Amino acid sequence: MARTVVIEEHGGPEVMKLVDRPVGEPGPGEIRIRHEAIGLNYIDTYFRSGLYPGELPLALGMEAAGEVEAVGDGVTHLRVGDRAAYAARPPGAYCGARVMPAAQVCPLPDGISFEQGAAVMLQGLTVEYLFHRIVPIQAGDRVLFHAAAGGVGLIACQWAKSEGIELIGTAGTQAKCELAGEAGAAHVINYREEDFVARVRELTDGRGVDVVMDGVGKDTFERSLDCLRPVGMMISFGNASGPVPPVNLLDLSNRGSLQVTRPTLFTFASDHATCQEMAKHLFDKMLAGDIQVTVGQRFALEDVAEAHRALEGRETTGSTVLTL
């Protein structure tokens, strides 16, 4: 048996329940993993609220780290006793232990703690695909990144700095702006005090940025288009403020033949070899010191509702982990 957070209906943080559920044995292509730490991410709130569909009752959570307890037939990249971490479907990471598909579970190097592994997988792999798997981005390019002091944002600031990319971040408080700047953002805009479009245009001598990376959604999408250079790329990868309204393709044409994409991590990581390659790239950055994982908050598993409220209230900085 393992303590597991489930929902039986969609709604606010109060719909989450902590129950004991049987774990079982892994079948072909599966493993059983005993968690040491669990990651909290915005996508978890989407499944909880019903923005992302899921069959009820539904166990929540996409990311965790721990030790492999059992291995099913056909699994060759993991063995019993291995340290491992993952960001993967199906949901169900908010638990003490689980049986799950092995393909997207990745060996965790000894130099990275369980807590760091749980805090970095979904956010770090997201940054990996944003910078390397959508549109070519190279040293000297300019990127606008919203919510630069969040978990994904702080990793993105460091990643950009390590590769000579000029990242312009936005954040909602002076303290968060300072965090993003310390992490490696070349410029940080307090969007509550400055017009971020005007400031981006000023910083780029009127040209605009090459790429916008926007995990905020509804509140920032429209004005972010005005920050792009002609034929620039808008990467809308999240909905923290709500889903983006329908986009008029002619509007993209009129703004300078802009490009727009709405990717998800799991499209890129669904292939086993690609997922393992992405994780190795991330872990190599961490072991080299290019990426420092900032765990800003820790909540006990039984306090998961409080953790969701803090996340949705934009009260968090860096990554958040659930402890067992």
Side-chain angles (χ1 to χ4, degrees):
M1 304 293 286
R3 293 189 304 160
T4 305
V5 175
V6 300
I7 60 170
E8 296 175 346
E9 61 180 328
H10 295 297
E14 70 281 355
V15 302
M16 293 183 288
K17 300 178 179 180
L18 188 60
V19 301
D20 287 325
R21 299 180 88 183
V23 179
E25 297 296 326
E30 294 181 332
I31 63 161
R32 185 173 73 239
I33 184 169
R34 176 71 53 180
H35 291 153
E36 297 288 340
I38 301 160
L40 179 76
N41 295 282
Y42 236 101
I43 192 173
D44 305 341
T45 72
Y46 303 159
F47 279 105
R48 190 207 71 221
S49 69
L51 178 63
Y52 286 3
E55 184 177 345
L56 299 173
L58 179 68
L60 295 179
M62 309 296 293
E63 171 185 53
E67 185 174 308
V68 177
E69 287 191 329
V71 175
D73 290 343
V75 177
T76 58
H77 70 293
L78 293 167
R79 296 177 297 179
V80 173
D82 279 356
R83 305 170 75 254
Y86 66 86
R89 294 177 186 254
Y94 288 5
C95 65
R98 68 185 295 201
V99 169
M100 64 181 296
Q104 279 67 50
V105 182
C106 305
L108 184 66
D110 289 338
I112 299 174
S113 72
F114 286 122
E115 191 172 89
Q116 289 174 318
V120 80
M121 287 298 286
L122 193 145
Q123 296 168 347
L125 294 180
T126 294
V127 172
E128 203 277 350
Y129 88 71
L130 288 174
F131 280 88
H132 291 276
R133 300 182 188 272
I134 295 178
V135 62
I137 303 175
Q138 53 196 349
D141 285 351
R142 288 165 165 164
V143 171
L144 173 63
F145 200 102
H146 289 298
V152 178
L154 290 177
I155 296 171
C157 291
Q158 297 174 78
W159 200 291
K161 183 179 180 180
S162 75
E163 298 188 350
I165 296 162
E166 184 179 337
L167 186 144
I168 302 170
T170 70
T173 69
Q174 187 57 37
K176 288 187 175 185
C177 287
E178 290 172 3
L179 273 177
E182 291 167 1
H187 312 278
V188 190
I189 303 166
N190 185 332
Y191 64 81
R192 297 188 191 279
E193 297 180 358
E194 291 186 274
D195 180 334
F196 74 80
V197 177
R199 182 63 175 142
V200 166
R201 287 291 172 181
E202 179 184 349
L203 289 168
T204 60
D205 298 321
R207 179 174 182 267
V209 296
D210 301 286
V211 179
V212 175
M213 298 177 180
D214 185 359
V216 175
K218 177 174 64 70
D219 289 353
T220 51
F221 180 86
E222 185 72 21
R223 301 196 70 231
S224 292
L225 296 176
D226 292 326
C227 296
L228 283 166
R229 64 162 171 80
V231 202
M233 171 65 79
M234 161 65 80
I235 305 174
S236 176
F237 67 94
N239 319 281
S241 66
V244 173
V247 177
N248 184 331
L249 293 182
L250 283 177
D251 189 38
L252 300 180
S253 172
N254 294 335
R255 290 176 188 258
S257 303
L258 301 182
Q259 305 173 74
V260 175
T261 184
R262 179 56 174 92
T264 69
L265 166 62
F266 302 110
T267 302
F268 295 92
S270 61
D271 176 74
H272 168 70
T274 300
C275 180
Q276 300 298 319
E277 177 185 286
M278 292 169 68
K280 185 178 185 304
H281 193 182
L282 171 62
F283 294 152
D284 285 349
K285 287 258 188 195
M286 294 174 68
L287 294 172
D290 292 334
I291 304 296
Q292 302 289 331
V293 179
T294 302
V295 179
Q297 302 75 215
R298 295 169 179 84
F299 294 86
L301 184 60
E302 54 265 31
D303 296 327
V304 65
E306 182 184 346
H308 272 230
R309 291 188 185 100
L311 184 66
E312 292 180 293
R314 301 191 186 185
E315 298 170 4
T316 63
T317 57
S319 299
T320 302
V321 296
L322 302 175
T323 59
L324 296 155

